């Protein structure tokens, strides 16, 4: 792997702008959601494409641990469990009002038994991954103004690798750690640099485009936009913030170099202590940081805005969902003839 | 009776005529004639404008195109009018659509904020060297209440006076209001009522004596300003929303727009002819959908409260309510999930005085990129507002002997929308 040699290896042109993407559990498959209200499974080898009719924009989706199911959380508030490999996929389970309004994030527990979803209704909900029945609603103590709870749109969710905790993050930049044993909030802290009230436009800009623990769970990575000077034009810089799990202390804020304008829409953590970000805003870029070093070690210009990112298990390929409807498969190595 | 101006010049006679026309006689100088004026005063119509600054997206409000390439992620929801759908972002407003109507075929052909705001609130295109009065000034002048000392043209939020009345004169320029009595409008604490009355009586005597020998247009203006200020001081509580109940504060919301809507209700209850509330900001080049979620959620509840209260108080039939912007937003969703400026096919919502309820005028095509039925622009809209207020929008102000049309004579109202 040589991230400085990153290049586009393959491009799939879809008919509509893309929203999110993940490498599938099956070899050579990439799943992506688009503005056409569908999730798609694209086979890189034979270029076959299969639609999952979500009937909603989908930003958050994940796979069951056995790779047989894909779970989508739609902007229509529906949580749907699908057969991941079917040739003509039909929903296995549909939870119609999983959330009131958008589902923004979906995650599956390390043991594969539990799904967690978050959304615009300020709620965090847990579901049985097997049948989609609701297990719990994590809302904190909303009646007490000083108590820990989300009071704005919840943007993302990540299970801790030990399976005992969950972290959620909202529009106001607040992160909450929930203890799964009793489903209570344990602590809350704020990623100050990733949320701001723009007084000129009288609106809050922020929210976590990604939340991700490293493999041993000692670090939490959150991404979004920082140093916003004009919320409605998206004038700010992509940022990835690293927190220590132990004390929530912010360790590093990873920033672009040279400075880019826009949002870090996707983050991947490479096992070789490399943090990779996908940027969209004034244009699109992949950003590469060595762990602990705030300044980007390398940036690779994409043809268009990146909107999501995933790292292949081989540690070499990246899938990038782009605003021009293209799914870019990038390779972090030198080109081969 | 002729005023005896000191210099007796012809120029001053003309100036005086203009001055009285501007400041003194109000609607009496409308070319429309006294019978209409009497009717107008009886009806006591007034206008409320909710101005969504920055350009609200018609696709996320009044003209949704769900499941199309331009429609974005939101759905359309049914309203109180069968067959009429608006964006899911306006669930409370949807329940009032039987009181409101939509104009969906607006083409102002402009994507500039300043020009768009001028078009929509002055009813004309901005031209170098040409000054027109703001819609609020036209209303304040045309619907002037001789028995009400409050300013007739209120902007919320704001402070001080605007410079937007053109030839109608500063009397009809906007007064900015922030939910509190105007600064310096309270009698000084060390003055008793008796002393204050004696002061004013002395001022009046001195004034009358001076006017008997040296009356000028300027002295008339000073006198009128004093009297208006004194009347305003007596009604300063009209601006004070702290006097509204805790329940109403909670209903409207503690955020700025909620408080501004409550202020607007109070102003309308005090029979102010024109009240404009601005809600900012909708200029969503970036993250249009998330920001419209935030902004329209803030708009929906207080606006709904305001409609309910106007209706419950029997005021909606005499209050023209218009929700407008300077333009709409592009059907095309840009790379940042944003929508840009767009004046070619967009919508407004209006209702109340003089407007057919539950109507949809005009239409855009399947994905909202062009008007396909009953195209109108700001000129038609301006005529429509004035007509709905019971004014003859083809009439003119007589300003110093010169006819100044209320609205652009090249246009007319949307007749099928008027009652």
């Amino acid at each position: 792997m040589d991230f400085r040699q990153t290049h586009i290896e393959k491009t799939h042109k879809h008919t509509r702008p893309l929203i999110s993407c993940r490498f599938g559990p099956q070899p050579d498959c990439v799943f992506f959601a688009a503005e056409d209200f569908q999730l798609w499974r694209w086979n890189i080898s034979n270029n076959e494409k299969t639609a999952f009719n979500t009937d909603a924009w989908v930003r958050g989706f994940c796979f069951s641990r056995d790779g047989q199911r894909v779970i989508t959380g739609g902007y229509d508030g529906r949580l749907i469990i699908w057969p991941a490999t079917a040739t003509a996929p039909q929903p296995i389970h549909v939870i119609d009002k999983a959330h009131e309004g958008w589902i923004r994030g979906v995650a599956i527990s390390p043991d594969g038994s539990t799904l967690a979803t978050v959304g615009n209704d300020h709620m965090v909900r847990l579901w049985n991954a097997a049948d989609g029945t609701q297990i719990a609603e994590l809302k904190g103590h909303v009646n007490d103004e000083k108590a820990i709870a989300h009071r704005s749109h919840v943007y993302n969710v990540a299970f801790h690798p030990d399976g005992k905790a969950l972290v959620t993050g909202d529009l106001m930049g607040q992160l909450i750690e929930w203890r799964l044993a009793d489903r209570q909030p344990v602590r809350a802290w704020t990623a100050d640099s990733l949320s701001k009230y723009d007084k000129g436009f009288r609106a809050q800009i922020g929210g976590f485009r990604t939340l991700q623990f490293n493999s041993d769970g000692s670090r939490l990575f959150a991404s979004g936009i920082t140093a916003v000077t004009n919320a409605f034009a998206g004038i700010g810089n992509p940022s990835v913030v690293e927190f220590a799990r132990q004390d929530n202390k912010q360790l590093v804020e990873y920033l672009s170099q040279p400075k880019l304008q826009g949002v870090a829409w996707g983050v991947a953590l490479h096992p070789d202590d490399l943090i990779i970000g996908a940027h969209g805003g004034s244009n699109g870029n992949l950003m590469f940081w060595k762990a602990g070093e705030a300044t980007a070690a390398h940036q690779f210009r994409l043809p268009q805005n990146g909107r999501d990112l995933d790292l292949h298990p081989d540690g070499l390929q990246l899938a990038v969902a782009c605003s021009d409807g293209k799914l870019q498969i990038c390779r972090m190595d030198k080109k081969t003839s | 009776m002729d005023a005896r101006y000191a210099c007796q010049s012809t120029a001053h006679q003309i100036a005086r005529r203009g001055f009285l026309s501007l400041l003194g006689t109000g609607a009496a100088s409308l070319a429309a004639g006294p019978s209409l004026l009497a009717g107008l005063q009886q009806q006591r119509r007034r206008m409320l404008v909710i101005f969504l600054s920055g350009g609200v997206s018609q696709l996320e409000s009044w003209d949704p195109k769900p499941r199309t390439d331009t429609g974005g992620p939101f759905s359309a929801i049914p309203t109180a009018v069968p067959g009429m759908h608006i964006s899911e972002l306006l669930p409370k407003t949807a329940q009032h659509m039987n009181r409101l109507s939509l104009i969906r075929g607006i083409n102002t052909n402009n994507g500039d904020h300043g020009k768009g705001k001028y078009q929509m609130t002055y009813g004309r295109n901005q031209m170098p060297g040409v000054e027109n009065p703001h819609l609020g000034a036209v209303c304040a002048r045309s619907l002037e209440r001789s028995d009400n000392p409050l300013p007739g043209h209120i902007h919320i939020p704001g402070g001080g006076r605007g410079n937007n009345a053109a030839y109608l004169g500063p009397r009809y320029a906007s007064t900015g209001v922030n939910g509190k009595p105007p600064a310096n409008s309270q009698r000084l604490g060390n003055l008793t009522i008796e002393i204050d009355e004696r002061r004013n009586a002395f001022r009046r005597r001195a004034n009358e004596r001076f006017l008997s020998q040296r009356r000028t247009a300027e002295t008339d203006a000073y006198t009128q300003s004093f009297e208006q200020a004194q009347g305003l001081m007596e009604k300063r509580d009209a601006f004070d929303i702290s006097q509204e109940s805790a329940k109403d504060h909670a209903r409207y919301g503690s955020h700025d727009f909620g408080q501004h809507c409550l202020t607007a209700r109070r102003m309308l209850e005090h029979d102010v002819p024109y009240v404009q509330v601005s809600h900012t900001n909708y200029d969503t080049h970036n993250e249009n959908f998330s920001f419209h979620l935030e902004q329209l959620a803030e708009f929906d509840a207080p606006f709904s409260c305001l409609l309910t209260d106007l209706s419950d108080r029997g005021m909606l039939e005499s209050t023209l309510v218009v929700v407008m912007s300077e333009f709409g937003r592009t059907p095309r969703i840009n790379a940042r999930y944003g929508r840009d400026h767009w004046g070619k096919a967009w919508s407004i919502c209006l209702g109340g005085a003089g407007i057919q309820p539950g109507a949809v005028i005009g239409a855009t095509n399947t994905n909202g990129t062009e008007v396909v039925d009953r195209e109108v622009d700001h000129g038609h809209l301006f005529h429509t507002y004035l007509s709905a207020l019971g004014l003859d929008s083809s009439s003119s102000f007589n300003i110093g002997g010169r006819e100044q049309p209320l609205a652009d004579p090249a246009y007319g109202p949307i007749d099928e929308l008027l009652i």
Side-chain angles (χ1 to χ4, degrees), chain B residues 364-418:
Chain B
T364 52
N365 63 0
T366 307
N367 59 0
T369 56
E370 60 180 317
V371 176
V372 293
D373 180 44
R374 190 60 165 110
E375 182 171 298
V376 296
D377 74 9
H378 48 288
H380 302 101
L381 297 176
F382 207 80
H383 275 274
T384 304
Y385 306 149
L386 300 183
S387 301
L389 290 166
L391 300 166
D392 178 358
S393 66
S394 64
S395 65
S396 299
F397 294 113
N398 185 333
I399 306 297
R402 189 171 175 184
E403 299 290 305
Q404 297 281 7
L406 269 70
D408 189 337
Y411 295 87
I414 304 169
D415 289 323
E416 66 271 32
L417 186 57
L418 299 169

Side-chain angles (χ1 to χ4, degrees), chain A residues 203-250:
Chain A
Q204 190 78 26
I205 182 167
F208 301 95
R209 301 327 193 269
T210 58
L211 272 183
Q212 204 170 137
F213 281 100
N214 64 348
S215 56
D216 67 10
S218 61
R219 303 281 189 270
L220 176 71
F221 294 80
S223 83
I225 185 169
T226 192
V228 174
T229 55
N230 181 331
F232 284 15
I235 308 300
N237 309 124
S239 164
V240 179
V241 178
E242 178 182 341
F243 295 97
R245 164 84 195 293
Q246 191 175 15
D247 55 7
N248 309 326
K249 186 179 172 187
Q250 179 175 317

Side-chain angles (χ1 to χ4, degrees), chain B residues 141-176:
Chain B
R141 166 69 182 272
S142 305
L143 304 173
E144 187 165 34
R145 291 41 164 137
S146 57
D147 57 348
N148 190 347
L150 293 175
H153 177 187
I154 297 284
H155 283 197
I156 309 167
R161 300 296 301 272
N163 179 24
N164 46 19
Y167 48 76
L168 295 180
R171 179 187 177 96
Y172 303 106
S174 59
T175 299

Side-chain angles (χ1 to χ4, degrees), chain B residues 104-344:
Chain B
R104 282 178 170 163
I106 301 172
N107 180 1
T108 46
N109 195 28
N110 165 64
D112 177 87
H113 286 293
K115 289 175 183 173
K117 193 165 188 177
Y118 193 93
Q119 286 178 325
M120 293 301 289
T121 52
Y122 289 76
R124 295 165 166 92
N125 287 324
Q126 196 167 16
M127 305 280 283
V130 179
E131 285 192 32
N132 297 298
H134 187 281
L135 174 59
V138 174
C139 290
R141 166 69 182 272
S142 305
L143 304 173
E144 187 165 34
R145 291 41 164 137
S146 57
D147 57 348
N148 190 347
L150 293 175
H153 177 187
I154 297 284
H155 283 197
I156 309 167
R161 300 296 301 272
N163 179 24
N164 46 19
Y167 48 76
L168 295 180
R171 179 187 177 96
Y172 303 106
S174 59
T175 299
V177 169
N178 274 320
K180 294 175 185 169
N184 307 316
S185 63
Q186 192 168 22
R187 182 167 42 81
L188 291 173
N190 58 356
L191 285 180
T192 64
I193 295 174
E194 185 189 3
I195 291 173
D196 198 31
E197 284 175 351
R198 280 165 48 198
R199 284 171 74 233
N200 277 314
F202 178 72
R203 176 179 58 78
R204 285 197 188 93
R205 279 203 305 277
N207 203 34
E208 283 162 11
R209 183 175 174 189
F210 185 83
L211 290 180
S212 66
Q213 297 170 13
R214 295 288 301 170
R215 184 174 181 182
T216 66
E218 286 77 15
T219 58
D220 277 357
Y222 294 145
T223 303
Q224 191 276 326
S225 294
F226 266 108
E227 298 305 323
Q228 189 182 34
Q230 199 166 21
L232 191 146
M233 287 174 70
E234 287 168 9
K235 298 198 77 171
R236 66 190 300 277
D237 286 352
F239 300 91
D240 185 5
I241 59 166
S242 70
Q243 300 193 13
E244 297 291 345
S245 70
K247 184 182 173 188
D248 276 346
H249 278 279
R251 285 174 63 227
Y252 278 80
S254 59
H255 51 74
D256 286 349
F257 184 65
Q259 296 293 293
H260 296 157
C261 284
L262 191 54
T263 307
R265 189 189 78 178
R266 198 167 170 85
M267 293 287 93
L268 294 168
E269 285 174 328
H270 281 82
D271 204 24
V272 171
Y274 182 92
V275 178
Q276 179 173 314
V277 181
S278 294
H279 187 217
T280 187
N281 191 295
Y282 291 85
D283 194 16
T284 50
H285 297 279
N286 172 60
E287 295 263 27
N288 171 76
F289 307 110
S290 287
F291 284 130
H292 271 74
L293 263 169
E294 277 189 67
Q295 305 296 72
L296 285 174
E298 193 171 273
F299 163 84
D300 190 40
F303 179 61
S304 176
C305 280
L306 198 44
L307 288 172
T308 300
D309 289 353
L310 291 177
S311 179
D312 289 351
R313 287 159 168 74
M315 293 171 63
L316 194 56
E317 293 76 12
S318 55
T319 307
L320 172 63
V321 179
V322 181
V323 183
M324 65 167 79
S325 276
E326 59 263 51
F327 41 59
R329 305 210 73 82
T330 48
R332 179 181 170 275
I333 301 162
N334 70 27
R336 292 168 289 162
Y337 294 111
R339 296 191 193 270
D340 302 309
H341 301 174
W342 178 255
K344 290 184 182 298

Side-chain angles (χ1 to χ4, degrees), chain A residues 1-312:
Chain A
M1 189 274 288
D2 181 356
F3 66 86
R4 295 180 193 279
Q5 301 286 331
T6 298
H7 60 278
I8 294 173
E9 189 175 54
K10 198 157 193 171
T11 299
H12 172 72
K13 176 77 177 88
H14 190 60
T15 52
R16 298 281 292 279
L18 307 190
I19 297 169
S20 50
C21 66
R22 292 286 176 274
F23 282 104
Q26 296 77 33
D28 284 347
C29 276
V30 187
F31 286 68
F32 61 84
E35 290 182 15
D36 58 6
F37 301 85
Q38 314 243 35
L39 177 77
W40 294 87
R41 185 183 67 224
W42 174 55
N43 187 304
I44 300 174
S45 303
N46 62 19
N47 205 30
E48 277 184 6
K49 208 157 63 171
T50 305
F52 296 68
N53 185 15
T54 53
D55 198 30
W57 286 22
V58 172
R59 171 76 183 156
F61 69 93
C62 64
F63 301 98
S64 61
R65 294 293 171 198
D66 64 4
Q68 293 303 303
R69 294 181 173 187
V70 57
I71 302 101
T72 58
Y75 279 7
D76 58 354
R78 291 195 306 164
L79 181 68
I80 306 179
I81 301 175
W82 307 82
T85 59
T87 51
Q90 294 298 316
I92 300 167
H93 299 290
V94 179
I95 298 95
D96 270 330
K97 286 244 176 188
H99 285 265
E100 193 67 42
W102 294 8
I103 296 176
R104 288 190 184 257
V106 179
I108 191 162
S109 62
D111 67 2
S113 66
T114 306
L115 296 168
T117 57
V118 293
N120 283 351
D121 55 3
H122 308 182
M123 288 296 154
V124 182
R125 294 197 173 94
L126 302 180
W127 311 86
N128 184 322
D131 59 13
T133 53
Q134 185 172 325
I135 299 169
E137 185 172 83
L138 281 54
K139 56 185 176 184
H141 305 283
V142 289
N143 294 329
D144 179 350
E145 283 185 11
K146 292 179 181 173
I148 297 174
H150 286 298
R151 296 179 179 85
S152 62
H153 299 166
V154 191
Y155 269 60
N156 234 310
V157 54
F159 279 95
H160 189 269
D162 69 10
K164 295 177 181 172
L166 187 72
V167 170
T168 53
D170 65 29
L171 172 65
M172 309 300 284
Q174 180 184 227
L175 291 153
I176 298 179
E177 180 174 326
W178 306 83
R179 187 170 49 228
L180 290 171
D182 58 3
R183 292 149 192 166
Q184 292 300 309
V186 179
R187 51 187 172 169
W189 70 104
T190 304
D192 291 323
S193 69
L194 294 182
S195 187
K196 176 185 175 180
Y197 183 74
D198 187 323
K199 291 178 182 171
F201 289 98
R202 293 176 183 248
Q204 190 78 26
I205 182 167
F208 301 95
R209 301 327 193 269
T210 58
L211 272 183
Q212 204 170 137
F213 281 100
N214 64 348
S215 56
D216 67 10
S218 61
R219 303 281 189 270
L220 176 71
F221 294 80
S223 83
I225 185 169
T226 192
V228 174
T229 55
N230 181 331
F232 284 15
I235 308 300
N237 309 124
S239 164
V240 179
V241 178
E242 178 182 341
F243 295 97
R245 164 84 195 293
Q246 191 175 15
D247 55 7
N248 309 326
K249 186 179 172 187
Q250 179 175 317
L251 300 175
V252 186
E253 180 167 19
Y254 298 95
L255 296 169
S256 51
Q257 181 61 39
K259 281 275 172 64
L260 303 168
Q261 278 190 6
V263 180
W265 281 99
V267 169
L269 303 179
H270 195 279
D272 292 353
D273 282 341
L274 185 70
I275 296 115
I276 307 161
H279 154 256
S282 52
N283 48 48
N285 289 267
L286 290 174
M287 305 167 289
F288 301 87
W289 297 276
K290 292 178 180 173
E293 296 181 11
T295 302
H298 180 60
Q299 287 175 182
F300 171 71
R301 176 78 177 263
L302 294 162
Q304 251 295 353
N305 288 246
R307 286 178 164 181
D308 201 9
L309 169 72
D310 196 29
L311 173 67
H312 194 276

